[in-house]
Amino acid sequence: MTELLYYLDLFGVVVFALSGALMAGRYKLDPFGVVVLASVTAVGGGTIRDVILGAYPVFWVANPVYLWLILFTAILTILIVRRPKRIPKRFLLIADAFGLALFAVLGTAKALSLEAPMPVAIVMGTLTGVAGGMIRDVLCNVIPMILRQEIYATAAMLGSCLYVALDYFAFAQNTSLVLAICGALALRLAAIYWQVSLPAFHISEKDAGQKPDKTQDKDT
């Protein structure tokens, strides 16, 4: 792992841990809950990626610095951010966008370094970017952003595809990393700013051939 790759990975862990800690504050979790939510958000996607690719030991087991960063970020968030509900929701989305872009591209780079085929690398990169946030949302009992109309997984896939393409054409790794991360981040931030979303798939009861149930069965 190059020095730039390593420091970007650390930054991604911090950003996603912040995202998880802020979400925990919105739902009034205790300090242990804050640390748990920050942890699963920060390392969830990378852990799944490493297990699937057989990259043992998992990255945070091999380097406990990641865990210390998560713990420090969670505690700092508790101490500094006294009222999470007063923080604009857009701030949480922006923090999540940075983590998404970083982890999608870094996950792709790691998969390629392990000689995974290009399609597999793209899937692993996308998974690295979205899985942590998905686990976070499930634990908070909200529909994960990846399953909503938000341009979320699409941005992760764009970053992964950009990195694979640039790597294929033999661009310098640092250049490929920066360009791919910027591409994924730009798409996600644009979607947040202009509230752009994918069309929803909806089947009405009429289209499904079912009559709306306007009455409830009465007790007999």
Side-chain angles (χ1 to χ4, degrees):
M1 181 182 289
T2 66
E3 189 173 354
L4 176 62
L5 201 65
Y6 177 65
Y7 286 116
L8 285 175
D9 203 27
L10 292 179
F11 180 65
V13 165
V14 170
V15 172
F16 255 161
L18 174 63
S19 170
L22 290 175
M23 179 74 86
R26 283 182 172 273
Y27 287 89
K28 300 180 180 180
L29 302 189
D30 63 19
F32 178 75
V34 175
V35 173
V36 168
L37 212 60
S39 300
V40 298
T41 308
V43 302
T47 301
I48 296 172
R49 174 203 64 211
D50 285 0
V51 170
I52 292 176
L53 293 176
Y56 298 111
V58 174
F59 72 102
W60 54 267
V61 175
N63 185 2
V65 169
Y66 291 101
L67 298 181
W68 287 114
L69 273 177
I70 293 168
L71 181 61
F72 177 77
T73 303
I75 292 174
L76 202 61
T77 303
I78 292 171
L79 294 176
I80 294 177
V81 184
R82 306 300 299 177
R83 295 180 181 272
K85 286 193 174 182
R86 289 189 175 181
I87 297 176
K89 184 179 179 182
R90 184 164 290 186
F91 180 81
L92 177 61
L93 293 175
I94 291 172
D96 188 80
F98 274 93
L100 175 74
L102 285 164
F103 275 4
V105 175
L106 295 175
T108 305
K110 182 164 187 178
L112 289 176
S113 71
L114 295 173
E115 299 183 352
M118 287 190 290
V120 174
I122 292 172
V123 173
M124 289 297 101
T126 304
L127 181 65
T128 306
V130 305
M134 184 169 62
I135 297 170
R136 175 200 64 206
D137 292 347
V138 169
L139 289 177
C140 290
N141 198 30
V142 298
I143 299 175
M145 281 190 280
I146 189 177
L147 300 180
R148 288 183 261 165
Q149 295 171 260
E150 305 241 7
I151 293 180
Y152 193 74
T154 307
M157 289 180 66
L158 173 65
S160 297
C161 291
L162 278 175
Y163 184 83
V164 166
L166 292 168
D167 181 75
Y168 178 79
F169 288 108
F171 277 70
Q173 186 182 49
N174 288 354
T175 303
S176 301
L177 285 170
V178 172
L179 290 177
I181 290 170
C182 287
L185 183 61
L187 178 58
R188 180 67 186 128
L189 291 179
I192 293 171
Y193 184 79
W194 283 294
Q195 297 183 345
V196 180
S197 61
L198 298 174
F201 177 63
H202 174 69
I203 299 178
S204 66
E205 291 180 335
K206 182 178 179 181
D207 293 334
Q210 298 177 358
K211 294 182 180 179
D213 185 11
K214 296 182 180 179
T215 61
Q216 299 291 332
D217 292 334
K218 296 181 178 180
D219 294 333
T220 56

